[in-house]
Amino acid sequence: MNEETLNQEKQHLNKVLGLVKESKQALEESLNSLGSETVGKLESLRDSSENNSLDFFMFLEQINEKYESFNLKDRYARLEEMASTLKEPYFARIDLGNAESDEEAKLYIGKFGFTHDKKPVITDWRSKIASIYYRYRYPQKNVVYTTPEGEKVRDLILKRTFDIVDGKLNKYFNNDIQLDESEIIAEKIESRTGGILEDIVETIQESQLDIIEADPRTPCVVQGCVGSGKSTVAIHKLSHIFFNFPKLITPERSILVAKSQILVSYLSTLFPKLGIFDIKYKTLSDLVYNLMFREEMPVIMDLEMPTDPSNMGFEFLSILQEQVAEVSKKTKEQLKSLFEKEEFSSFGGYKYEVDLTPYENIASIKEDLQEELETSVTRLKENPKSTRAWLYKMNSDILGKIITQLGKIQNDLKNKDLPLVAKALGIPKKGNISYSESLAYAFLHINIIGFNKDKTLKYQYCVVDEGQDFSPLEYAVLNSFILHKRLCILGDLNQGFVTSAISSWDDLEKILGTSNIKHFTLDTNYRSTAPIINLANKILSPFTDKYLPKSINRKGEEPSFTAHNSSNEMFAKIKIDLQQDAQEFKKSIGIITYDQNSFNTMQEILNKLDIEEERKMILDSDKRIDYKPRAIYLTKFENCKGLEFGKVYIVNKNPLENNSYEEAKKSFVGVTRAMDKISIYYVK
C-alpha cells in the first residue's frame, strides 16, 4: 500500500463525503415539513430496523398514505441510502480506458449510486458497468459489459478495493492478477457475527453474479451447497431486479417465500440494508391462509392438525388436476348446451379461454353479454317508439335469461361442484382442515374459481428459499400466485429431509409446466472454516458424493467432541461452557437439539443463564423473531436451515454416527450452521 496513493484516496473520500452530507442535509430539511415528532419516530425505528423492521415498514406505510403527494417513501428511502453512504460511500474503484480514444474513466462503486450536478460521483453496484469489478482483474484489455445500446468494450486499467469504516479509509489494495481474493473474502467473513444476515455487495463472486443478473422473466433454479450464499444472493437478486427492471417488477408486487417463519424473519433483516422497504415476505401457509380469508372459503387451515405428506406428492397432484379437468369439461358442456337452445343460439359466439378457470370463463362471457344488454336497454330507452324497439326489447329479454343461467352455473361451481370435488377427495366441506388438505382445497379453488375477489393477489416476482423442502403440491399452489412463472428457487438437495418434498430439481419442469428453466450451481462454502467443512463432508461422504461443499480454506479451530456417561453429566458440562461463551464469545451462538427432551432441558438452562434477557432467543417456527447479532439462539434441527451462527452447540447427537442418508442430512444441516466454532456433546 503506497502512502501517497492512500493520501490521495483519503482526499477524494473527504470530498465525496462532503457532497453527500450537503445532499442529506437538504433532504432532511424537506422532510422536516412532516413535523419533528413524525421524523423522530422514523429515525428511532430506523436505528433499530434490524430488530423492528416490520414496525418500521408499517409506520412508513401509514405516513406515506397521509402524505402521498409528498412522495415520502422515495424521499425516505433516499435518506436511508445517504445515511448508509456516509458510513461507507463506496468499496471499490475501477479505471477504464477507452479503446477509441485516450480518455480514461474513474468509477467509484458503492452500495447506492450518488450524483452531484447531474454527474455520477458513486456508481451503483447494480449498474451494468459495475459488473466489470466483479468479473475481471486488472490489467485486462477488451473487457465487456452491456448497456441498453448494446455491448461496450473497454480496457480495465485498475481495480482497487477499499476498507472504509464509519467514513474513514483504513486501507486499500489493488486487485491485480497476482492477488488471492479468497483471502479478502475470508477476512470479510471473519468480521461477521452471525445471527443476522449481512450483505455481500463487496464480495460477490462471478458465479453468484450470474444468478443475480439472470433475466427475471425466465424462471431459474439454484442448487447451492451449504454456506454458498444462496439466501443472500436471492435478496441481492431482488435488489438488482428493482434497479434494472423498475417498470416490470416492483417491490410492492414481489415476494420472498420460505417454509418457516423463523427463516422468513431472518431473511427480512437484510432488506433494509439494501434499500428494500416494500417487499412482502411470507410462508406458503401464510399465503394460503390469506387466500382462504379473502375468498371467504368455508374452511380454516389448522397447522396443529396432523397432515398427510402423501397427499402432497405428484400422485395426489395428478388426481387434483384430473378433477379440475373434469369440472372444466362439465362447464364447457353446460355452455354448449345453453347456447344450443334455439332462443339463445344467436348469442353463441363465445370463446372458452384455457388460461382462465371455469368460473372466470363464465364471468368473462357474462361481462360481454352484460355490456350488450346495457347497450340494448340504452337504445330502447332512447328510441322506445322506433321500428327496432321490439328487437331491442327481445334482445334484452333473451340476454337477461342467458345471464341468469350463467349466474346459476357460476353459483353451482362455487357452492356445489367445488365442495363435491373436495368431499370426494376426503376434504371436509367446512370447518378446520389440515395443512395438506388446505393446500388441496386452495389448489381446487384457484383452478376452478380463481382469484375472484382480488386480481392483484398475483405477484410479479417470487424468490423461494430452501426450495428443496417444498412438495409438488406446494409448488403447484405457489405457482398460481405468481405471474408468468417468474420464480427464482434456491436450495440444496443435501439438506432436504422433508418426506413430502421434491426429489430432484428436474421435478420443477413438470410442476411449472415449462422446460424453459435456467439452472445454476454454487459449489463453494463461504460461511464456515475449513475444519467445519471437512467435518460436514465427512458426515455426507459415506452416502453421497454430490453437491459436497468446497472450502475457501478459512482457518479455524477443529470441532470439539465431548462424550459423556450420562445426560446429566452432558448437560452439566454444556451449562458451564455456555455460561463462559456467553460472557467471552463476541458473536452469536446457536444451540441445536435433535430431540424434544434435549430442547426442553436446554431451554431451562438458557432461561437460567446469567446474561441479558434480550440475548436469550427461543426459535419458534410459527413466530416472528427479532434477530440480534450477539444473541444465543435455541432451536430444533428442523428449524435451523438457512441460519448461521458464530458458534454452534450440537446437543445429544454425534453427527458422525448416522444410519442413513436422511439421518446424515440432519447432522449435516446442524454442523454447517457454524461459521467459526462448533462444540459437539453426546452420551456414549
Side-chain angles (χ1 to χ4, degrees):
M1 186 168 62
N2 183 279
E3 196 67 30
E4 183 180 352
T5 301
L6 179 63
N7 288 332
Q8 290 173 351
E9 292 291 4
K10 284 182 177 180
Q11 290 175 15
H12 178 81
L13 174 62
N14 290 334
K15 181 181 178 182
V16 171
L17 289 173
L19 295 173
V20 176
K21 285 177 182 176
E22 287 178 13
S23 293
K24 183 171 180 287
Q25 186 177 354
L27 187 56
E28 286 174 333
E29 288 174 358
S30 71
L31 284 169
N32 283 337
S33 62
L34 296 177
S36 58
E37 185 178 343
T38 298
V39 175
K41 187 171 181 180
L42 276 169
E43 289 175 347
S44 174
L45 290 174
R46 177 195 66 198
D47 293 340
S48 58
S49 62
E50 286 180 352
N51 303 327
N52 301 285
S53 56
L54 185 60
D55 298 334
F56 174 78
F57 297 154
M58 289 178 65
F59 184 64
L60 186 59
E61 184 67 37
Q62 289 171 6
I63 59 175
N64 186 68
E65 291 176 3
K66 184 177 179 181
Y67 300 97
E68 188 174 357
S69 63
F70 192 71
N71 200 15
L72 174 66
K73 276 189 177 180
D74 289 345
R75 293 191 186 206
Y76 202 83
R78 188 59 184 149
L79 190 63
E80 288 289 285
E81 292 176 2
M82 287 184 183
S84 172
T85 300
L86 285 174
K87 293 179 181 178
E88 187 184 15
Y90 46 81
F91 56 85
R93 166 185 164 182
I94 55 174
D95 291 7
L96 302 176
N98 191 331
E100 300 173 358
S101 69
D102 295 330
E103 181 186 356
E104 291 186 8
K106 297 179 181 178
L107 283 76
Y108 286 82
I109 301 170
K111 192 183 296 184
F112 304 106
F114 178 77
T115 61
H116 181 72
D117 289 339
K118 299 182 180 181
K119 295 180 180 179
V121 177
I122 304 171
T123 299
D124 197 294
W125 74 273
R126 297 165 293 186
S127 64
K128 301 295 186 182
I129 198 169
S131 66
I132 292 174
Y133 171 76
Y134 297 109
R135 295 191 181 278
Y136 300 99
R137 296 189 188 183
Y138 86 98
Q140 286 199 50
K141 290 185 177 293
N142 300 323
V143 299
V144 180
Y145 66 98
T146 59
T147 72
E149 292 77 34
E151 287 189 345
K152 298 287 185 182
V153 181
R154 297 288 186 267
D155 295 337
L156 180 58
I157 302 169
L158 178 70
K159 175 181 172 180
R160 180 171 289 165
T161 299
F162 302 102
D163 178 21
I164 300 174
V165 180
D166 293 329
K168 295 182 178 180
L169 175 59
N170 297 319
K171 61 181 179 180
Y172 76 88
F173 46 86
N174 294 334
N175 304 60
D176 60 24
I177 57 176
Q178 306 297 323
L179 183 70
D180 184 0
E181 291 192 341
S182 63
E183 293 183 9
I184 302 169
I185 297 170
E187 185 179 326
K188 291 288 184 182
I189 295 170
E190 191 70 36
S191 64
R192 291 182 0 211
T193 63
I196 58 171
L197 208 57
E198 303 284 354
D199 72 78
I200 57 169
V201 170
E202 301 177 33
T203 57
I204 294 172
Q205 300 299 289
E206 189 170 0
S207 58
Q208 297 171 328
L209 189 65
D210 289 340
I211 300 165
I212 291 169
E213 291 187 336
D215 193 327
R217 291 164 293 193
T218 301
C220 69
V221 173
V222 181
Q223 163 56 44
C225 74
V226 63
S228 59
K230 297 184 295 296
S231 303
T232 317
V233 165
I235 298 173
H236 284 69
K237 180 173 181 64
L238 286 168
S239 178
H240 191 274
I241 289 171
F242 302 149
F243 182 86
N244 288 285
F245 297 87
K247 295 182 179 179
L248 181 70
I249 299 170
T250 62
E252 300 84 4
R253 297 283 307 282
S254 300
I255 187 169
L256 184 146
V257 176
K259 286 284 284 192
S260 75
Q261 191 62 52
I262 290 173
L263 185 56
V264 166
S265 298
Y266 178 70
L267 296 174
S268 71
T269 62
L270 183 51
F271 289 132
K273 299 173 186 176
L274 293 174
I276 303 172
F277 296 104
D278 291 324
I279 193 170
K280 308 296 187 297
Y281 40 93
K282 298 179 183 291
T283 62
L284 181 57
S285 59
D286 287 337
L287 281 176
V288 174
Y289 182 87
N290 291 340
L291 175 71
M292 289 178 166
F293 178 79
R294 287 194 180 97
E295 298 292 320
E296 299 177 355
M297 298 184 197
V299 291
I300 302 170
M301 178 168 56
D302 186 350
L303 293 175
E304 299 298 320
M305 290 182 66
T307 194
D308 186 355
S310 66
N311 285 347
M312 297 168 69
F314 276 113
E315 185 176 349
F316 191 66
L317 177 59
S318 295
I319 294 172
L320 291 172
Q321 290 168 333
E322 288 170 3
Q323 292 295 320
V324 170
E326 284 297 316
V327 173
S328 182
K329 181 182 177 183
K330 177 187 173 184
T331 304
K332 287 180 183 178
E333 290 172 351
Q334 287 177 307
L335 284 170
K336 183 182 178 184
S337 176
L338 177 64
F339 285 103
E340 282 180 347
K341 291 182 177 180
E342 186 174 348
E343 65 175 320
F344 301 155
S345 59
S346 59
F347 296 95
Y350 68 90
K351 183 180 179 183
Y352 194 93
E353 301 284 350
V354 294
D355 293 334
L356 298 178
T357 69
Y359 191 95
E360 289 170 340
N361 265 288
I362 302 297
S364 178
I365 297 168
K366 273 181 67 182
E367 187 177 342
D368 291 343
L369 294 179
Q370 188 68 44
E371 187 177 333
E372 194 169 343
L373 173 61
E374 290 171 1
T375 300
S376 291
V377 170
T378 301
R379 287 175 177 174
L380 181 61
K381 286 180 179 179
E382 292 173 349
N383 305 285
K385 297 182 179 180
S386 72
T387 55
R388 297 181 66 84
W390 67 271
L391 180 61
Y392 299 145
K393 186 172 186 317
M394 184 182 70
N395 282 352
S396 299
D397 291 343
I398 294 172
L399 287 167
K401 290 178 182 179
I402 297 174
I403 291 170
T404 299
Q405 290 297 311
L406 290 173
K408 186 178 183 303
I409 296 173
Q410 266 189 312
N411 186 67
D412 286 349
L413 280 167
K414 193 169 187 178
N415 298 310
K416 289 185 179 180
D417 295 324
L418 176 57
L420 283 172
V421 171
K423 184 180 179 182
L425 296 171
I427 304 169
K429 293 190 293 183
K430 59 182 179 179
N432 289 11
I433 59 177
S434 69
Y435 176 58
S436 61
E437 291 172 332
S438 298
L439 287 169
Y441 200 99
F443 181 89
L444 293 172
H445 183 96
I446 291 168
N447 289 280
I448 294 174
I449 309 301
F451 295 101
N452 186 44
K453 290 288 180 71
D454 187 0
K455 301 291 185 182
T456 63
L457 277 175
K458 290 202 173 188
Y459 294 95
Q460 296 169 338
Y461 199 80
C462 175
V463 165
V464 181
D465 199 30
E466 300 298 337
Q468 77 281 345
D469 289 341
F470 287 75
S471 68
L473 179 55
E474 286 175 309
Y475 272 118
V477 171
L478 176 60
N479 186 43
S480 301
F481 286 92
I482 314 302
L483 288 170
H484 311 305
K485 311 182 194 299
R486 292 181 191 152
L487 289 144
C488 178
I489 299 165
L490 307 98
D492 179 15
L493 294 175
N494 276 336
Q495 298 182 65
F497 46 77
V498 178
T499 55
S500 61
I502 59 171
S503 58
S504 166
W505 296 123
D506 292 337
D507 291 345
L508 292 169
E509 292 188 4
K510 182 179 178 182
I511 299 166
L512 300 181
T514 179
S515 60
N516 186 32
I517 299 176
K518 196 161 185 178
H519 290 262
F520 298 90
T521 300
L522 297 174
D523 59 6
T524 301
N525 178 291
Y526 300 103
R527 173 189 299 150
S528 307
T529 63
I532 293 172
I533 295 301
N534 291 338
L535 171 62
N537 287 337
K538 193 174 180 180
I539 293 169
L540 280 187
S541 55
F543 304 96
T544 183
D545 59 357
K546 290 184 177 180
Y547 311 130
L548 298 181
K550 298 177 182 177
S551 172
I552 60 171
N553 292 319
R554 187 161 71 89
K555 297 178 180 179
E557 297 179 9
E558 289 292 328
S560 167
F561 287 77
T562 53
H564 300 271
N565 295 313
S566 69
S567 294
N568 289 338
E569 179 187 298
M570 177 185 68
F571 287 118
K573 174 61 172 169
I574 293 175
K575 184 178 180 180
I576 294 170
D577 292 350
L578 187 58
Q579 183 65 63
Q580 183 175 346
D581 279 337
Q583 301 294 342
E584 299 177 0
F585 192 64
K586 303 302 182 185
K587 298 185 179 184
S588 61
I589 298 173
I591 305 167
I592 299 174
T593 62
Y594 285 79
D595 62 274
Q596 188 63 48
N597 288 336
S598 294
F599 182 86
N600 295 340
T601 303
M602 287 308 308
Q603 188 167 357
E604 292 175 8
I605 292 173
L606 182 58
N607 288 336
K608 294 177 182 178
L609 207 64
D610 185 21
I611 60 169
E612 303 91 335
E613 288 300 314
E614 60 267 21
R615 289 179 61 197
K616 303 174 183 179
M617 309 291 288
I618 311 296
L619 298 184
D620 187 324
S621 60
D622 297 326
K623 295 181 181 177
R624 173 176 166 254
I625 305 295
D626 292 332
Y627 288 89
K628 299 176 176 65
R630 281 197 67 213
I632 300 175
Y633 299 86
L634 172 62
T635 178
K636 300 173 184 177
F637 75 92
E638 63 264 32
N639 293 330
C640 71
K641 288 183 185 178
L643 309 182
E644 65 178 25
F645 310 102
K647 182 173 183 177
V648 163
Y649 282 53
I650 300 292
V651 179
N652 202 21
K653 169 75 174 174
N654 183 348
L656 289 173
E657 295 179 356
N658 304 290
N659 297 317
S660 66
Y661 183 28
E662 297 304 309
E663 189 178 349
K665 287 180 187 178
K666 296 173 183 179
S667 297
F668 177 80
V669 167
V671 302
T672 53
R673 299 309 95 198
M675 298 169 58
D676 303 321
K677 298 181 178 183
I678 185 167
S679 293
I680 297 162
Y681 305 83
Y682 61 97
V683 178
K684 296 177 183 176

